[in-house]
Amino acid sequence: TGWNLYDQACILALAGDADGSLAALHRALDCGWANYRIYEDDDLDSLRGDPAFEVIVEEVRNRLPSA
């Protein structure tokens, strides 16, 4: 499921595997996952500033209703 892939992405990010984490996030998006949690999840701090991560965050932003 999307949540399982998101959790996997967090674990990979914490382990220092940015490429694996980004791949898991892409797969989560492919499953239809999108959640506000990605904006502030400390587990993903190592990815912040990475252009590939910012594309994923923007995709999540586009899928969620505006606050």
Side-chain angles (χ1 to χ4, degrees):
T1 68
W3 274 110
N4 290 345
L5 290 163
Y6 179 82
D7 289 341
Q8 180 184 25
C10 291
I11 291 166
L12 290 168
L14 289 170
D17 183 356
D19 290 338
S21 179
L22 292 167
L25 287 170
H26 277 290
R27 289 192 310 272
L29 288 173
D30 289 345
C31 289
W33 178 90
N35 190 276
Y36 296 100
R37 182 174 170 184
I38 198 171
Y39 302 145
E40 297 181 1
D41 195 328
D42 295 343
D43 292 349
L44 301 174
D45 280 352
S46 64
L47 301 178
R48 300 202 191 284
D50 182 318
F53 179 71
E54 298 307 324
V55 167
I56 292 168
V57 170
E58 186 62 26
E59 178 62 28
V60 169
R61 188 170 282 119
N62 290 334
R63 291 180 183 199
L64 295 173
S66 299

